[in-house]
Amino acid sequence: MPVEGAPAMAAEDAGDRDIVEWFEAAAETAGAVQSQTLHRIVESNLGSEYLRRWLGGDLRVHDLSPAELESLFTSAVPLASHADLEPYIQRIAHGDASPVLTQQPITMLSLSSGTTDGRPKYVPFTRFSSQSTLQIFRLAAAYRSRVFPIRSGGRILEFIYSSKQFQTKGGLMAGTATTHYFASQEFETKQRTTKCFTCSPFEVISAGDYKQSTYCHLLFGLLFHNEVEFVASTFAYSIVQALTAFEDLWEELCEDIRQGTLSSNITLPTMRKAVLEHLMPNPSLASKIERDCEELRSSGWCGLIPHLWPNAKYIYSIMTGSMQPYLRKLRHYAGEVPLVCAEYGSTESWIGVNLEPLNPPERVAFTVIPTFSYFEFIPLYKQQKQDSSTLVTPDDFVEGQPVPLCKVSVGQQYEIVLTTFTGLYRYRLGDVVEVAGFYKGAPQLTFVCRRKLILTVNIDKNTERDLQLAVEKGSGLLSRTKAELVDFTSHADVAHHPGHYIIYWEIKGEVEEGVLRECCREMDAAFVDQGYVVSRKTSSIGPLELRIVETGTFRKIMEHFIGNGTAMSQFKTPRCTTNQVLLSILDCCTVKSFRSTAYAP
Ligand code: AMP
């Protein structure tokens, strides 16, 4: 139920002050807080098989100062990848209730979306995971409300979705982290005590069918159109897909509002029942929305959000990293409504909070929260630096020795390493970040890319970020036309000689073939990695290929992932794939193909 009136608002504001004060104190002494955090993690899990293996069974944590323990821990426990920990996690999934990774048995496992490297991974999930989620949401909301005050008792049009929870062979509850959070006591507390309320009832969030849920989210958004204070989702992709769907659904939605009925496409009984309870005929609202939509349609749906939700103060979602390609479309729908970047985290742990909501997505940095995990940072250098303290890796980075949070340098890029309360020790997350500065003693990070090298044929090495830049350059030429890029992915074809890059585009609108040929040439020339440039010049890499896929191809890809257990809320289009199912979807849907000619970087 809505918390209404002044007393609730005062309580919320006091809550905002408390959480900000807590965070500012932690940030002030971030280095010391990190040592204490590690101390707490080790102390509470010292009896686990994993820590006993590396730290021995006789360690007396209380005899060591936090700084001494930090030094012992980082010298005795090795860096680990998910593959190193997988055998332990598998045992837990199969029902081994002994203290494998944590002292307290793990009873839930999260499925990280895996769409960035193609394979879902199990990660332990504990009460701490949902508590820290609630805490970071509250902290971020407190900073946002300083610059974007919102009305107590208002609504949030939130495109959020949980997928099904299921049992592993050993009887543990498994599902995505967002799904576990939506089912947690913490989420329930947030819904009960928050200043603003999600438009949709819980049955819509938890329905498990993203298309039906999207329809109902939109329906509730329209019913509460004057009360919506902001529009949100976990990743920006969900807002874009929902509003794109709206372009085709608005007439049906208006009919439902007019009649107080619900489309026969909404078939899930629990959701149907819950939605119908809120509906009653409202012809005047339906006519108003219809008039708005006629007007919006003629302007290509530009400024849809402020038109339909006139009191929306901002749009809040993860908009960085692999979400950046959707910004153009999001801005198109947003008009003048500001975009506010949501926090930085992963299924494994939350990492940083956005303290400056006014910064546009291109400039946002995330301040590390030093109590959530123990963070280390592996310095990454682009090939040039090689001495005894560095290690050459299979991608184009050279690694230095990991450093603690307080020793990072501004302007340097790092891979993040996590030691968590959920039993991951010195775990390489695979994300590359750059240190943009410090807030008090806590580093502020910009997200660069996933560490994993994505496009390579021979000596060339291109990351997700390199691909993104090339696609931005190529698709920039579409601005001359009425068409727009909907989504993209890529594949390095090494099955044919010479190997070459294939970039798949889905576009909306008509484009002349000459323009697409130019886009293809532009992308080929935009990869500046020397390995690529040299290989292209010597023809050991063939001309880049642009394949245009038919409308709806990327929706099919998303549905393939969702069918395999990914929650819509966590879905990210893989930017490069070797997955045979995806490749066959892409190949079946290819309608045109162009090869770059006249290579001129
Ligand atoms: P998952 O655990 O499947 O939800 O995905 C977590 C991954 O999403 C992280 O490791 C990042 O690569 C990416 N991610 C999460 N938050 C952000 C953010 N704010 N900006 C950029 N990428 C993000």
Side-chain angles (χ1 to χ4, degrees):
M1 288 297 290
V3 180
E4 283 169 22
M9 193 155 172
E12 179 82 22
D13 290 347
D16 282 3
R17 250 196 328 273
D18 288 351
I19 198 156
V20 166
E21 275 172 21
W22 160 80
F23 177 70
E24 306 244 325
E28 190 80 61
T29 54
V33 172
Q34 276 281 273
S35 306
Q36 290 152 13
T37 300
L38 180 67
H39 204 269
R40 284 178 53 213
I41 294 174
V42 174
E43 190 180 23
S44 49
N45 294 305
L46 199 54
S48 69
E49 179 184 325
Y50 194 83
L51 282 188
R52 286 167 75 94
R53 174 174 173 199
W54 298 109
L55 295 176
D58 311 323
L59 183 68
R60 294 160 68 93
V61 177
H62 287 291
D63 293 347
L64 300 173
S65 69
E68 283 167 338
L69 179 66
E70 192 171 356
S71 150
L72 172 72
F73 178 82
T74 51
S75 57
V77 178
L79 292 170
S81 64
H82 188 272
D84 296 321
L85 294 180
E86 202 155 16
Y88 296 88
I89 298 176
Q90 280 303 331
R91 277 174 48 203
I92 296 171
H94 289 149
D96 185 341
S98 67
V100 181
L101 290 170
T102 50
Q103 189 85 45
Q104 295 298 321
I106 299 282
T107 56
M108 292 173 100
L109 291 171
S110 285
L111 216 48
S112 81
S113 67
T115 48
T116 36
D117 66 1
R119 197 170 60 96
K121 300 174 292 191
Y122 276 136
V123 175
F125 185 96
T126 66
R127 183 86 197 273
F128 184 87
S129 315
S130 25
Q131 284 169 339
S132 57
T133 302
L134 179 59
Q135 204 167 356
I136 195 168
F137 285 177
R138 284 199 162 147
L139 181 61
Y143 279 98
R144 283 202 311 280
S145 71
R146 292 176 163 191
V147 281
F148 297 113
I150 49 172
R151 199 175 52 83
S152 193
R155 294 276 171 175
I156 314 167
L157 172 53
E158 241 178 331
F159 295 100
I160 49 177
Y161 308 81
S162 63
S163 58
K164 292 258 173 299
Q165 288 178 308
F166 57 94
Q167 298 228 319
T168 65
K169 270 190 197 156
L172 275 79
M173 181 76 89
T176 57
T178 40
T179 303
H180 289 330
Y181 173 66
F182 293 144
S184 72
Q185 202 180 314
E186 283 69 26
F187 182 70
E188 200 266 322
T189 307
K190 175 180 171 263
Q191 297 298 78
R192 204 164 20 82
T193 57
T194 190
K195 201 182 254 181
C196 282
F197 304 88
T198 303
C199 291
S200 305
F202 187 69
E203 290 82 352
V204 173
I205 300 167
S206 61
D209 177 311
Y210 90 90
K211 269 195 204 157
Q212 296 192 31
S213 296
T214 299
Y215 185 90
C216 296
H217 280 318
L218 288 166
L219 184 60
F220 279 100
L222 295 174
L223 293 175
F224 290 114
H225 70 120
N226 270 333
E227 290 162 57
V228 169
E229 291 289 305
F230 63 98
V231 178
S233 69
T234 310
F235 286 96
Y237 172 83
S238 305
I239 302 180
V240 170
Q241 83 82 29
L243 298 183
T244 306
F246 179 81
E247 294 182 22
D248 295 325
L249 294 172
W250 64 275
E251 282 160 310
E252 199 177 349
L253 286 160
C254 285
E255 205 42 38
D256 278 346
I257 294 171
R258 173 168 291 111
Q259 311 285 352
T261 52
L262 183 58
S263 159
S264 57
N265 293 326
I266 308 306
T267 55
L268 296 169
T270 315
M271 176 164 69
R272 201 174 162 83
K273 181 167 177 287
V275 175
L276 277 167
E277 276 169 19
H278 292 81
L279 296 183
M280 58 179 76
N282 192 338
S284 63
L285 177 61
S287 303
K288 185 206 166 309
I289 297 168
E290 258 165 6
R291 280 195 304 277
D292 283 347
C293 288
E294 306 272 3
E295 201 182 308
L296 280 163
R297 185 172 51 181
S298 60
S299 68
W301 301 96
C302 182
L304 184 158
I305 293 175
H307 248 88
L308 294 183
W309 294 287
N311 294 315
K313 314 281 183 303
Y314 56 89
I315 297 159
Y316 174 60
S317 187
I318 293 176
M319 299 171 185
T320 33
S322 62
M323 293 299 122
Q324 235 168 300
Y326 306 112
L327 281 179
R328 207 186 156 96
K329 189 75 180 174
L330 192 58
R331 286 193 162 116
H332 179 78
Y333 288 134
E336 298 289 305
V337 181
L339 304 186
V340 178
C341 284
E343 314 339 300
Y344 172 35
S346 63
T347 302
E348 290 83 346
S349 169
W350 282 105
I351 297 165
V353 59
N354 176 8
L355 301 183
E356 289 165 276
L358 289 173
N359 273 350
E362 291 77 5
R363 286 217 316 271
V364 72
F366 304 99
T367 306
V368 177
I369 302 185
T371 56
F372 279 3
S373 284
Y374 175 71
F375 300 96
E376 291 174 81
F377 296 83
I378 302 176
L380 301 173
Y381 308 98
K382 282 259 169 182
Q383 284 295 5
Q384 70 281 32
K385 193 169 175 226
Q386 277 184 46
D387 57 41
S388 57
S389 67
T390 60
L391 183 72
V392 183
T393 61
D395 55 21
D396 62 344
F397 290 115
V398 172
E399 292 179 358
Q401 292 301 321
V403 293
L405 165 151
C406 54
K407 294 267 171 59
V408 294
S409 311
V410 175
Q412 174 64 48
Q413 292 194 356
Y414 298 90
E415 179 184 347
I416 295 189
V417 175
L418 301 169
T419 294
T420 69
F421 283 94
T422 57
L424 304 175
Y425 304 100
R426 307 198 80 210
Y427 171 96
R428 301 178 74 134
L429 183 62
D431 281 356
V432 180
V433 293
E434 185 168 317
V435 178
F438 278 85
Y439 178 75
K440 301 177 186 275
Q444 298 191 292
L445 312 175
T446 55
F447 181 87
V448 177
C449 60
R450 293 286 299 169
R451 170 77 194 266
K452 202 166 175 284
L453 174 66
I454 59 165
L455 272 173
T456 181
V457 168
N458 48 46
I459 57 164
D460 53 308
K461 291 167 171 124
N462 281 299
T463 62
E464 187 170 343
R465 163 71 63 101
D466 301 321
L467 170 70
Q468 208 162 295
L469 291 174
V471 170
E472 260 169 38
K473 233 164 162 205
S475 61
L477 302 181
L478 296 180
S479 58
R480 290 195 220 140
T481 71
K482 284 210 163 128
E484 59 180 310
L485 181 65
V486 174
D487 221 330
F488 67 93
T489 188
S490 67
H491 171 65
D493 177 6
V494 288
H496 302 95
H497 192 76
H500 73 289
Y501 291 2
I502 304 174
I503 300 184
Y504 296 88
W505 279 10
E506 179 175 327
I507 37 188
K508 188 173 172 198
E510 287 304 310
V511 194
E512 283 172 20
E513 296 205 344
V515 176
L516 291 172
R517 229 169 247 119
E518 239 182 287
C519 294
C520 180
R521 239 191 339 260
E522 190 78 20
M523 284 197 288
D524 202 10
F527 286 101
V528 290
D529 158 65
Q530 277 311 296
Y532 188 77
V533 172
V534 170
S535 303
R536 280 290 289 117
K537 282 187 176 155
T538 56
S539 297
S540 59
I541 293 184
L544 183 141
E545 184 177 355
L546 169 62
R547 291 192 186 170
I548 307 298
V549 295
E550 64 193 23
T551 304
T553 304
F554 280 85
R555 189 175 35 77
K556 281 190 195 155
I557 290 178
M558 182 256 288
E559 284 170 356
H560 166 74
F561 277 102
I562 287 178
N564 284 342
T566 297
M568 179 67 190
S569 285
Q570 272 175 262
F571 174 74
K572 307 165 204 72
T573 298
R575 294 295 175 210
C576 179
T577 187
T578 50
N579 178 316
Q580 286 309 317
V581 180
L582 294 202
L583 287 174
S584 70
I585 297 176
L586 289 162
D587 291 339
C588 285
C589 296
T590 297
V591 287
K592 280 182 200 155
S593 154
F594 304 89
R595 288 297 284 260
S596 153
T597 49
Y599 180 67

